[in-house]
Each structure stands twice: as structure tokens, then as C-alpha cells.
Amino acid sequence: MVVKPSERVESLRRLLDRPNIILCAGCYNPLSAKVAEMTGFDLLSLSTFNVGGNLALAEPLVGLDENLYSIKRVIDTVNLPLLIEAETSTSPLHIVQTVKKFEAVGVAGIILSDQVYPKRAHHRDREASVISSEEMERKIRTARKVSDGGPVVMAVTNTLRSHGFDEAAERLNRYAEAGAEVLCTYFL
């Protein structure tokens, strides 16, 4: 069965509206996505780390073309909605291009992060390199304006561990005000 891009977005929006826990599996490639679908997951996530690992590239070298290649392969294999990181979307122009291309291939949700680009390996040293809240808010507003009923816009902050709970909460509140539909913090 071929699932239209708009149906994937609607499927994700229905998942977000229900009170249940959403089972989301991180996938690397079509095989891992198919295994997740067959074992009952509700949603898939494809990160730039996973794309890079599958293509033998360091995460900072994963660009829009590599993401699109990986997205298409996963979407052609499964019917679940797919969240994808938009890590290389660093300016409003990049955001516009990324959102339009991700929407065209059937991405249900776009994850925007407040990490600097290229990304730093902050998992080891507990130090997050992040952009300003204002810059992230511009990214969110641009993505929402372009998506306009298309992919769900999710905002992630990487500040909890390095900057503390108050900074992370303040950022997430600002991101919600800017239009993020889903909020997340790493290192909870």
C-alpha cells in the first residue's frame, strides 16, 4: 500500500492527539525501519547520526542530499510516519529548502535542534554548543510558515545537562511560543 505524504503527517498528528505513549523507534535504514514496523512501533525517527552511520559518514558531513536519499529508502519500505532531524538547516533559506524537500518525500515531522552546526560531540564532555534562543525561534517560525499544515515541527534543546533545568525550560517555553508543536530536551 502506498501512503501519501499528507497521510503520514495526519497519522503523526493523530498519534500526538491521543493520550497514550507513542512508541518511536530510531532507524538506520529500510531494514531497521521494517523491523520496527513489524514489531509494533507507532513512529520512526531517522537522525543525522543514524544516516551518517549507515553511510559511513561522520555526522557533521551528512547534508540534505544524504538525508533525502535515506528518507526515500525508508519511506518506500514502511507505512509509519517518519521524524527526521533537520540538522543542516542553519539559516531561513536552508529551512525553507529543507522543509519543502522533506515534505515532498513524505516526512511527517521535522526535528529542529538548538545545537550549533557543524555539531560538536557534546555527549562525552557534558558541554553543549548551542545557538541563541532567538536564532532557534527564527528557525521554528520559518519552518512553521513553510510547512503550513505539512510536517509537524518539533524543537529540541540540548541545554539541560550543561545549562541546567531553568535554561532548558525557558528555551522550550520560548520555542513553543515561536510555534513548535512538539518539545523535547536531551539528557533527561
Side-chain angles (χ1 to χ4, degrees), residues 95-115:
I95 296 283
V96 169
Q97 178 185 30
T98 300
V99 171
K100 285 182 177 183
K101 288 188 175 196
F102 283 4
E103 184 173 11
V105 296
V107 168
I110 296 171
I111 304 168
L112 298 174
S113 171
D114 60 9
Q115 278 190 335

Side-chain angles (χ1 to χ4, degrees), residues 167-185:
E167 173 72 15
E170 180 181 334
R171 280 178 175 257
L172 290 175
N173 283 323
R174 291 180 70 167
Y175 300 166
E177 289 173 14
E181 299 167 90
V182 178
L183 304 169
C184 179
T185 182

Side-chain angles (χ1 to χ4, degrees), residues 83-99:
L83 293 172
I84 182 77
E85 285 183 328
E87 296 296 348
T88 59
S89 300
T90 55
S91 71
L93 183 59
H94 288 120
I95 296 283
V96 169
Q97 178 185 30
T98 300
V99 171

